Amino acid sequence: MELSISSRLLTTSFSSNAAAAAAIALLKFKPRVHHRHTSIPLLPLQHSLSPLTLKQMNNNNSQSTLSCSSLPQSNSSPAPISPSTASGRIGEVARVTKETNVWVKINLDGTGVANSTTSIPFLDHMLDQLASHGLFDVHVKASGDIHIDDHHTNEDVALALGTALLQSLGDRRGINRFGDFSAPLDEALVHVSLDLSGRPHLSYDLNIPTARVGTYDTQLVEHFFQSLVNTSGMTLHIRQLAGKNSHHIIEATFKAFARALRQAIEYDPRRLGTIPSSKGVLSRS
């Protein structure tokens, strides 16, 4: 390191010869500098910056956001999305003939709401079982020529319900398709197995000991399920394993059917939204 002082500065700053001589000697002096690496401890940031500076830095950091595009992206395929059930799989049908006037609405993704008025009290009770144990929302309004008998109203309610089920299922993409359940009710035990295949078939084996339950003709149980199978495109097997009481046998049948249908219409996450058929299609033909 060298110190330089101009001659003009010397003449103005020093008046005596002694002072001038000392200044000249200072110019000729070259101090020896020893280069040493001296470590200087770093102070924490908050001690070396003013509060105002720290506030500005915090504001800048809070405004910096990490966009999703800057994150590492996965090479795997996105998770499959099941068909939307935000509003539910719903079917709604109105069937009007010279004998009956029937309106049916079913939500397969419901909560078990039952609201049925068919003018046939025992049938209303069975439709309540379908809603409650299948967790379907079932709404049925029907009027008909019950002054003759319950046959036409019972049949047309089942036909409309099967059609509404067909609508709500759509192309049946992603569902389990098959359902199987045995329901006990006291001494009665009924087994139901079904396939939402698109091919209507009923195999029915109930031995109901009485001709009526209340005013309801017990022959209409088989006719109800045959009509529902015909319009929904379902293969349905019903077997009575035990039972002596007519009411118990019929009610166990509807409960087992509701639980088997619930299994069949629920989504299979491993199927990834595909149609559950090796043919790639499920239809009524």
Side-chain angles (χ1 to χ4, degrees):
M1 179 179 66
E2 295 184 359
L3 297 177
S4 61
I5 302 176
S6 66
S7 59
R8 183 178 179 183
L9 180 60
L10 290 174
T11 57
T12 57
S13 302
F14 301 98
S15 58
S16 63
N17 293 334
I24 294 171
L26 181 61
L27 288 172
K28 293 181 179 181
F29 174 72
K30 296 181 179 181
R32 298 180 64 185
V33 179
H34 298 281
H35 299 282
R36 294 181 180 179
H37 298 283
T38 305
S39 61
I40 302 175
L42 297 176
L43 295 176
L45 183 61
Q46 60 268 27
H47 295 302
S48 60
L49 298 175
S50 68
L52 179 60
T53 304
L54 287 172
K55 183 178 180 181
Q56 292 173 344
M57 293 180 65
N58 290 334
N59 290 338
N60 291 337
N61 289 336
S62 64
Q63 293 173 358
S64 301
T65 58
L66 185 62
S67 65
C68 294
S69 59
S70 64
L71 296 174
Q73 299 297 316
S74 172
N75 291 328
S76 61
S77 301
I81 301 175
S82 297
S84 173
T85 59
S87 59
R89 290 170 290 174
I90 297 173
E92 184 173 1
V93 172
R95 177 182 173 86
V96 180
T97 70
K98 292 181 179 180
E99 298 166 336
T100 64
N101 188 333
V102 178
W103 172 81
V104 171
K105 182 177 181 181
I106 185 170
N107 182 354
L108 298 182
D109 303 299
T111 58
V113 174
N115 183 15
S116 298
T117 304
T118 65
S119 303
I120 306 173
F122 187 77
L123 180 58
D124 292 345
H125 180 47
M126 293 302 101
L127 293 174
D128 288 350
Q129 305 310 308
L130 177 61
S132 177
H133 296 281
L135 289 180
F136 314 128
D137 293 345
V138 179
H139 303 269
V140 179
K141 303 295 180 185
S143 60
D145 54 359
I146 58 172
H147 60 282
I148 299 174
D149 64 9
D150 295 342
H151 183 97
H152 295 145
T153 302
N154 180 88
E155 177 184 20
D156 286 1
V157 166
L159 290 171
L161 183 61
T163 304
L165 179 61
L166 180 68
Q167 286 183 3
S168 60
L169 284 171
D171 62 5
R172 313 183 190 203
R173 188 180 299 273
I175 64 172
N176 288 319
R177 173 179 166 178
F178 300 97
D180 188 275
F181 199 85
S182 294
L185 180 56
D186 296 347
E187 89 296 342
L189 178 62
V190 177
H191 175 245
V192 171
S193 186
L194 61 85
D195 175 13
L196 299 178
S197 60
R199 298 183 300 274
H201 173 80
L202 175 66
S203 180
Y204 178 92
D205 185 13
L206 294 184
N207 296 307
I208 303 173
T210 62
R212 292 187 179 273
V213 175
T215 59
Y216 186 75
D217 183 354
T218 55
Q219 288 183 324
L220 297 181
V221 176
E222 180 176 7
H223 194 53
F224 177 91
F225 285 107
Q226 184 65 68
S227 300
L228 186 146
V229 160
N230 289 344
T231 53
S232 66
M234 176 192 306
T235 296
L236 177 62
H237 290 260
I238 299 173
R239 292 286 182 272
Q240 178 182 335
L241 303 179
K244 297 179 180 179
N245 181 279
S246 298
H247 188 134
H248 292 171
I249 294 169
I250 299 171
E251 185 169 336
T253 300
F254 274 83
K255 287 179 177 178
F257 173 72
R259 291 299 300 265
L261 183 59
R262 176 179 166 186
Q263 288 178 8
I265 63 96
E266 287 180 344
Y267 290 115
D268 180 355
R270 294 184 59 195
R271 189 158 291 283
L272 306 179
T274 59
I275 294 175
S277 171
S278 58
K279 297 188 295 291
V281 63
L282 290 173
S283 65
R284 293 194 68 255
S285 58

